[in-house]
Amino acid sequence: MLAPTKAQVKPAQLFIAGRFVPSASGETFDSINPATGAVLTQVAQAGPTDIDAAVKAAREAFESGPWPKMSVSARGRLLWKIGDLIMKRREEIAELETLDSGKPLTDNARIDVPMAADCFQYYAGWATKIHGRTIPSSGPYFNFTLREPVGVVGAIIPWNFPFLMAAWKLAPALCAGNTAVLKPAEQTPLTAVLLGEILAEAGVPEGVVNIVTGDGPGAGAALVRHPGVDKIAFTGSTPVGQEILRASADTLKRVSLELGGKSPSLVFADADMEQAVRGATTGIFYNEGQICTAASRLFVESSVHESFMEALGRRTAKMVAGDPLDPKCRFGPLVSEAQMSRVLRYIGIGRDEGAKLVAGGGKARVEGGGGFYVEPTIFDGVRNDMTIAREEIFGPVLAVIPFDDPEEAVRQANDNPYGLAAAVWTRDIKKAHSVARRLRAGTVWINTVNALESTTPFGGYKMSGFGRELGEASLDLYTQTKSVWVDLS
Ligand code: NAP
Ligand code: MG
């Protein structure tokens, strides 16, 4: 595969009303390559004026023009075509994502980009299957419901799966007939802008999707406050989710929130140990731990704890940080210097609170240097009330908590403000199902981890947010129901 040169990365502009334009202020910010720390290119910095233009374009496209008149089957075909075009440009998207985010190229090409295409094609099928009901009435009436789009959707997404998160928001929103303004994270704006090119090429009418690059306080907050936006779909941290919920109260927007996590993984003594060790490593080290579902608290039954830790140590030692553009690389840099500092600070807190560092613990050295690399890090002998077991680190740091009593382990697994995901490792089918039922999390994996498909609802319990994305469930977020009464007397 040909690694692209810096010269091939174009400066990024805003995509408003079907055209690429600079920001009204002319201001830009730098996009950084996390593998080197070097500036990749400049990106237009949207402010309230640009957000207003984007929302107006989305409103106009929602109310007039070809979009509201388009037949549902034509809409479905359009979504399918977007998926096809994504797959046609798969390597280019994967490379750009790697340069901008530091995510390993192989993961982007094999997982993120195909899953994004699949998401558009999954919702292509739903475009023709969203319908209301006929409802019996006790009076002389004919009563039926219509399922209508919500209107203009403001989608705000994070940096850990930039391209895929854009698909998770836009595909169901478009499938139901909404229009959208998408704000990618400032650390990773480039593939969202490229998606704008793809949408235009597919024939999405102008103004139906607008893409505004900028920061949270300037661009994101203006989108949340804007009275022309009907709904905010947000993925990101819990504190920003809370801020968005507060800020959206004035205009009473519909809000869905996919937030942070501190997911427990329970390894029982009767588990397939090889499988559980593999799951424990990918559970925390995939995407360098920058996953909202990261299995960052690992509860291990005491009788197998020692042998489990030996095997985990051997497997972790093989996870060597490298250049994410190298197709063999499975562990790259973190997204930014700020994220690296945050993770290193938590590692310091783990040490100070008396957890036992058994792997990693510092910056990883990679040939060429300069990037934001942290070693795969494991703490053993962690207690569930320690900071590293309570707070989301969003990096490659695993907290291992040994247990004797399975009941107590389930209780502790639930004893955390978050509830996004959880995993159970056992060969006992009764135990697997009963523990899965008792775990307070939106997703539970039995003898696997990170399984995810466009078909299946995904979202949080407790402080991990509300609303379910993907699957049929996502249609609830992007439609509203109208009851129509007809007098038959
Ligand atoms: P973040 O700081 O919450 O940012 C997420 C998005 O919100 C970014 O686009 C950000 O813009 C924007 N934003 C920031 N402040 C805002 C404000 N006041 N109003 C409106 N928008 C604002 O999260 P992150 O650091 O990018 O991502 C990591 C976090 O996301 C983790 O905590 C992780 O658990 C969570 N996450 C959750 C899921 C899930 O599905 N539940 C998935 C992925 C990530 P800027 O980046 O430009 O500031
Ligand atoms: Mg970047």
Side-chain angles (χ1 to χ4, degrees):
M1 202 172 287
L2 203 69
T5 64
K6 190 180 150 193
Q8 286 172 276
V9 180
K10 294 183 290 195
Q13 293 190 309
L14 312 178
F15 183 63
I16 297 178
R19 277 178 295 282
F20 284 95
V21 293
S23 62
S25 66
E27 281 174 31
T28 61
F29 62 97
D30 290 341
S31 175
I32 307 288
N33 179 348
T36 61
V39 174
L40 268 175
T41 190
Q42 277 71 43
V43 182
Q45 169 104 38
T49 310
D50 307 291
I51 297 297
D52 189 51
V55 173
K56 283 197 173 119
R59 189 92 246 157
E60 203 175 310
F62 181 70
E63 280 165 12
S64 52
W67 185 243
K69 293 191 215 103
M70 190 181 283
S71 73
V72 286
S73 49
R75 216 194 277 155
R77 283 195 299 275
L78 187 61
L79 286 170
W80 190 272
K81 188 170 174 193
I82 296 168
D84 279 348
L85 290 175
I86 288 172
M87 287 311 277
K88 221 169 110 187
R89 295 176 74 173
R90 167 183 177 160
E91 291 193 359
E92 179 192 351
I93 302 166
E95 286 175 356
L96 192 62
E97 191 88 304
T98 295
L99 287 171
D100 204 16
S101 70
K103 288 164 62 78
L105 179 66
T106 301
D107 291 341
N108 289 333
R110 286 203 199 145
I111 301 170
D112 295 46
V113 180
M115 276 182 84
D118 182 70
C119 185
F120 278 103
Q121 296 190 330
Y122 170 77
Y123 284 105
W126 271 113
T128 50
K129 295 164 197 72
I130 300 171
H131 48 69
R133 292 176 168 201
T134 309
I135 298 170
S137 150
S138 36
Y141 296 110
F142 168 40
N143 175 223
F144 64 94
T145 60
L146 296 170
R147 270 187 99 179
E148 298 187 331
V150 173
V152 175
V153 174
I156 302 177
I157 56 173
W159 42 257
N160 60 342
F161 290 86
F163 193 72
L164 185 59
M165 288 299 115
W168 279 26
K169 304 280 186 268
L170 294 181
L174 297 183
C175 143
N178 299 279
T179 60
V181 178
L182 171 73
K183 195 206 88 65
E186 65 190 289
Q187 296 87 346
T188 55
L190 299 181
T191 53
V193 176
L194 194 155
L195 182 61
E197 283 178 22
I198 290 175
L199 298 175
E201 189 185 342
V204 174
E206 68 183 49
V208 170
V209 177
N210 306 274
I211 298 163
V212 286
T213 49
D215 61 23
L223 192 57
V224 175
R225 279 195 310 268
H226 201 294
V229 174
D230 299 287
K231 177 197 159 55
I232 292 289
F234 174 75
T235 296
S237 61
T238 295
V240 173
Q242 291 169 308
E243 180 56 36
I244 285 177
L245 198 54
R246 278 190 285 266
S248 59
D250 289 340
T251 46
L252 217 68
K253 290 182 173 60
R254 282 103 189 95
V255 176
S256 50
L257 303 171
E258 298 279 0
L259 308 176
K262 192 74 193 177
S263 301
S265 189
L266 290 93
V267 179
F268 291 97
D270 58 7
D272 175 334
M273 282 304 147
E274 209 188 306
Q275 192 183 38
V277 168
R278 220 180 315 128
T281 12
T282 51
I284 186 64
F285 298 134
Y286 180 69
N287 211 34
E288 301 77 38
Q290 304 169 114
I291 307 198
C292 46
T293 56
S296 49
R297 288 184 296 149
L298 187 74
F299 294 86
V300 182
E301 197 157 358
S302 297
S303 58
V304 293
H305 174 250
E306 201 181 319
S307 58
F308 186 89
M309 291 308 290
E310 275 168 25
L312 185 64
R314 277 196 300 277
R315 209 175 159 87
T316 302
K318 289 190 200 144
M319 307 222 47
V320 180
D323 175 0
L325 279 174
D326 177 348
K328 287 200 222 65
C329 171
R330 302 315 299 269
F331 191 87
L334 301 188
V335 74
S336 65
E337 193 161 12
Q339 190 63 15
M340 180 176 72
S341 306
R342 173 189 158 94
V343 173
L344 293 173
R345 184 170 55 80
Y346 271 110
I347 292 173
I349 292 173
R351 280 197 173 110
D352 292 346
E353 290 189 346
K356 187 175 159 207
L357 184 68
V358 294
K363 287 187 71 167
R365 309 268 160 236
V366 172
E367 213 180 319
F372 311 132
Y373 290 92
V374 174
E375 293 174 305
T377 296
I378 302 176
F379 281 103
D380 195 5
V382 177
R383 284 193 329 267
N384 197 43
D385 60 0
M386 287 181 180
T387 307
I388 56 165
R390 294 208 70 75
E391 296 183 11
E392 181 176 52
I393 300 176
F394 225 58
V397 181
L398 179 64
V400 179
I401 306 171
F403 71 88
D404 291 309
D405 175 5
E407 287 303 314
E408 178 58 13
V410 173
R411 197 195 61 74
Q412 288 193 17
N414 284 330
D415 181 11
N416 188 275
Y418 294 111
L420 192 59
V424 188
W425 305 87
T426 174
R427 285 192 174 98
D428 178 339
I429 192 164
K430 279 192 193 170
K431 195 191 289 176
H433 282 278
S434 83
V435 171
R437 281 187 184 209
R438 280 182 291 155
L439 288 168
R440 303 257 303 139
T443 295
V444 178
W445 289 296
I446 297 175
N447 295 332
T448 186
V449 72
N450 287 347
L452 210 67
E453 279 192 39
S454 305
T455 50
T456 300
F458 176 80
Y461 279 28
K462 305 195 277 184
M463 299 281 280
S464 294
F466 47 78
R468 291 292 175 270
E469 297 196 293
L470 302 182
E472 187 177 359
S474 195
L475 302 176
D476 292 339
L477 305 181
Y478 296 100
T479 58
Q480 53 194 347
T481 302
K482 178 183 282 173
S483 298
V484 183
W485 293 85
V486 184
D487 180 12
L488 299 179
S489 64

